[in-house]
Amino acid sequence: MRQEARRSLGLYAKRNVCIVRGEGAYLWDSEGRRYIDCVGGIGSMNVGHANPFVADAICRQARTLMSAPEMFYNDVRAVLVERLVQLVSADLDRVFLCNSGTEAIEAAIKFARMATHRPNIVATTHAFHGRTMGALSATWKAQYREPFEPLVPGFTRVPFNDSEQLAAAIDDQTAAIVLEPVQGQGGIHPVTREFIETTAATARQHGALLILDEVQTGFGRTGKMFAFEHWAIEPDLLCVAKSIAGGVPMGAVLVNARIESFPAGSHGSTFGGNPLACAAALAALDFIESQRLPERAATLGEHFQNALREIASPRIREVRGLGLMIGVELHEKAGPYLSRLQEAGILAANAGEEVLRFLPPLVIEREDLDRVVAVLAELLRMP
Ligand code: PLP
């Protein structure tokens, strides 16, 4: 740990633990201690750690072909893009592949500007879309943005879940609205039906595009394959990443017919669509579908949320979420509770200062969620 700390730029507030192994919803540290993992690679491990199907696919592909830049066609990529298009229950029929969530957002912003020939992007308060300059310009927290200003011009923010202010912010210069269906980093806030449906309708009315950021909500997390399926809307651009490839870095943007084809060379990525990540993604998608992970997230998520509500501690302000994307907002700082959970063998994240964030792999067992609830209840009872 000391070696790693000495060579780091200090960008991450690291926990005092060195994780060396994982299996399903468990992680082990270098001392051999086992943890129930409710961080889930910040939402990138829906299929569970060291998933054997994904691991086998990676090994096979690594021995066959790891790189085929998009100047060439590739057999595995061809299967994956078709698979992604079939997976979404919307008219999103073309795919751009990249390597992370922020790259997916960055690409979507560029595609929206290029398709509409308009400059402006509307985002929401408390949004988190990533750390590269475009995605960062759509991100809310001043602490993330201000050290890097000037950012990209043309971005405005409207209060999340405020349909009236959103409608007032869209005009004939708006290229797109970018929105998380459930805000993750911003504190686990689901959109209201009214807000997301009004947003989609208003965007249409003004010729603007709807970019949904499903980087954290995608691939079963919220109890549907994609969170937008909870409402009567369809995005024009769907950004995904995190769990798409079972833990291997990958991102994607799926687009509908409102996005034209672009001139060759106008955007691209060296590693985007590499056969290794594509093979991992195909195995991960097979697993998510065959194990019905979205349904599992819906059932277990409801059970977990209800059990957390039953704790009924005066220290809890609110329990909220969708599927297995759950936040427990406290009346006090979350940090000390995360440390005590860790001491008790449970790893969880925060979402802002006062929210405990639970994003377990969707393969987690009910008994392990019950253990998390029991331990948290005990901690909240302590003076
Ligand atoms: N969008 C959302 C909703 C996210 O939660 C994240 C990461 O947490 C990102 C974008 C950025 O993804 P990445 O860290 O892969 O760049």
Side-chain angles (χ1 to χ4, degrees), residues 51 53 285-296 362-363:
N51 183 292
F53 300 97
L285 298 181
D286 277 348
F287 189 83
I288 291 168
E289 283 198 302
S290 66
Q291 301 301 305
R292 303 169 68 86
L293 292 190
E295 290 87 340
R296 192 178 165 85
L362 307 183
V363 296

Side-chain angles (χ1 to χ4, degrees), residues 111-381:
F111 297 163
R113 280 186 168 175
M114 205 154 44
T116 60
H117 306 286
R118 296 175 179 189
N120 296 338
I121 307 287
V122 177
T124 58
T125 54
H126 304 287
F128 183 85
H129 296 295
R131 308 282 196 160
T132 52
M133 294 306 245
L136 189 59
S137 304
T139 287
W140 166 250
K141 222 174 170 179
Q143 180 197 340
Y144 296 154
R145 280 187 289 118
E146 283 173 357
F148 307 103
E149 288 174 347
L151 296 177
V152 180
F155 286 72
T156 50
R157 291 170 192 83
V158 296
F160 186 68
N161 277 342
D162 185 331
S163 308
E164 266 176 42
Q165 293 214 41
L166 179 105
I170 300 176
D171 59 26
D172 65 2
Q173 287 304 296
T174 308
I177 298 107
V178 56
L179 187 63
E180 291 160 89
V182 182
Q183 289 189 329
Q185 177 99 346
I188 312 292
H189 292 283
V191 284
T192 60
R193 173 178 296 279
E194 199 240 326
F195 181 67
I196 199 161
E197 292 181 1
T198 311
T199 302
T202 314
R204 268 298 145 110
Q205 204 183 319
H206 288 274
L209 300 166
L210 177 61
I211 302 173
L212 278 191
D213 179 347
E214 293 236 24
V215 167
Q216 197 166 136
T217 53
F219 304 104
R221 171 61 54 192
T222 70
K224 303 271 187 197
M225 187 59 79
F226 298 101
F228 77 82
E229 295 166 22
H230 288 285
W231 306 283
I233 59 134
E234 287 191 6
D236 298 302
L237 300 101
L238 177 68
C239 297
V240 293
K242 290 206 193 266
S243 274
I244 186 174
V248 172
M250 178 177 244
V253 186
L254 285 93
V255 305
N256 68 12
R258 295 181 76 197
I259 310 292
E260 69 219 40
S261 288
F262 298 125
S266 50
H267 191 59
S269 162
T270 299
F271 283 123
N274 72 81
L276 189 73
C278 290
L282 279 169
L285 298 181
D286 277 348
F287 189 83
I288 291 168
E289 283 198 302
S290 66
Q291 301 301 305
R292 303 169 68 86
L293 292 190
E295 290 87 340
R296 192 178 165 85
T299 312
L300 289 181
E302 197 185 341
H303 170 75
F304 190 39
Q305 267 205 63
N306 289 339
L308 287 166
R309 285 207 181 90
E310 275 167 25
I311 295 177
S313 161
R315 287 174 159 162
I316 295 182
R317 190 192 298 269
E318 193 182 22
V319 176
R320 54 179 180 259
L322 203 55
L324 273 176
M325 182 169 181
I326 293 174
V328 177
E329 183 165 350
L330 304 176
H331 287 286
E332 55 195 288
K333 289 216 170 6
Y337 288 93
L338 294 176
S339 306
R340 286 176 214 141
L341 282 168
Q342 184 174 319
E343 281 161 25
I346 295 162
L347 297 172
N350 67 313
E353 295 259 293
E354 296 182 343
V355 180
L356 300 167
R357 172 165 45 158
F358 297 95
L359 298 171
L362 307 183
V363 296
I364 194 165
E365 297 296 341
R366 184 182 287 248
E367 298 71 50
D368 286 328
L369 290 172
D370 291 342
R371 162 105 188 118
V372 174
V373 175
V375 170
L376 184 61
E378 185 62 36
L379 294 177
L380 288 164
R381 265 197 295 274

